[in-house]
């Protein structure tokens, strides 16, 4: 499986996929997913930090020339203090380029992240999907994730 940890030189190659991922979400729900002009610069710096984070997960799926065609980014998050669970891993983004979908790359990326988090003692992994993104929920369900909360949103006029 062409899945490997990302390196700092992958960041600029992953950024167009980040852009596509956010454009898709903004088209679905701009109030929820609207991003600032030029957000990619900060996102790139964040990903460069994630490459070196021993508790983070940044994996790429590559083509036969070792060029990223998919990626996953996830971090360990602290739960609110009232909960029994102290921390969990959160998958922020998973993306596979259209021409490379349906070949098990997302599965490989998610498994790599699950293995990494299990190895550092994390016992729960979460992700969120846009409500409209039923396909993504099917993909995560196939990998053992189950639905939990549904976030609702109401916009208030200024
Ligand atoms: C969701 C996405 C990452 C899946 O990538 P992929 O590499 O095609 O997925 P895989 O080939 O690894 O498929 C994993 C499993 O999900 C299933 N699956 C994949 N796409 C599916 C779809 N559209 N509908 C239903 N099931 C699907 C596969 O059959 C496979 O199941 P199996 O192993 O039991 O056969 C990809 O479609 C994508 O990048 N979508 C846009 C971004 C997105 O929605 N990201 C997730 C939300 S953050």
């Amino acid at each position: 499986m062409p899945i490997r940890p990302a390196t700092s030189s992958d960041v600029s190659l992953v950024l167009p996929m980040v852009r596509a991922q956010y454009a898709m979400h903004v088209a679905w729900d701009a109030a929820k997913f609207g991003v600032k002009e030029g957000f990619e610069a900060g996102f790139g710096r964040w990903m460069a930090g994630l490459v070196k984070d021993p508790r983070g997960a940044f994996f790429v799926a590559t083509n036969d020339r070792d060029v990223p065609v998919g990626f996953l980014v996830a971090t360990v998050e602290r739960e609110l203090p009232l909960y029994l669970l102290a921390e969990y891993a959160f998958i922020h983004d998973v993306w596979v380029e259209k021409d490379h979908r349906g070949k098990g790359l997302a599965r490989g990326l998610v498994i790599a992240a699950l293995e990494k988090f299990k190895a550092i003692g994390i016992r729960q992994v979460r992700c969120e999907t846009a409500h409209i993104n039923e396909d993504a929920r099917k993909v995560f369900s196939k990998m053992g994730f189950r639905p939990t909360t549904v976030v609702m949103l109401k916009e208030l006029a200024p």
Side-chain angles (χ1 to χ4, degrees):
M1 181 68 65
I3 306 293
R4 60 167 173 78
T7 65
S8 39
S9 26
D10 291 320
V11 169
S12 60
L13 301 170
V14 168
L15 274 174
M17 292 186 259
V18 170
R19 214 171 285 129
Q21 161 109 326
Y22 279 84
M24 182 178 85
H25 281 80
V26 170
W28 281 335
D29 189 341
K32 172 70 173 75
F33 298 109
V35 283
K36 294 176 183 165
E37 190 77 30
F39 80 99
E40 297 94 335
F43 204 99
R45 284 192 294 277
W46 177 75
M47 287 196 293
L50 200 52
V51 166
K52 299 177 199 140
D53 180 354
R55 303 190 83 218
F58 181 7
F59 289 97
V60 288
T62 58
N63 65 14
D64 52 10
R65 286 171 290 114
D66 198 38
V67 176
V69 294
F71 76 99
L72 175 150
V73 282
T75 52
V76 174
E77 302 293 325
R78 288 208 67 74
E79 186 48 285
L80 292 174
L82 75 158
Y83 288 114
L84 290 170
L85 188 75
E87 52 184 18
Y88 58 91
F90 186 78
I91 299 175
H92 298 276
D93 293 313
V94 192
W95 176 273
V96 172
E97 294 282 59
K98 285 197 176 75
D99 289 350
H100 297 269
R101 290 181 188 168
K103 299 177 187 166
L105 294 182
R107 178 180 283 280
L109 287 163
V110 171
I111 288 172
L114 298 182
E115 286 174 352
K116 164 88 189 263
F117 289 123
K118 191 169 180 186
I120 61 168
I122 298 296
R123 291 291 170 259
Q124 191 176 116
V125 182
R126 300 179 188 174
C127 64
E128 286 179 8
T129 68
H131 194 256
I132 196 172
N133 199 353
E134 286 176 28
D135 283 356
R137 284 194 292 284
K138 284 180 193 156
V139 172
F140 282 110
S141 297
K142 288 204 160 184
M143 291 185 257
F145 287 72
R146 62 174 172 80
T148 171
T149 51
V150 173
V151 176
M152 297 181 74
L153 178 157
K154 177 178 169 61
E155 290 172 71
L156 302 179

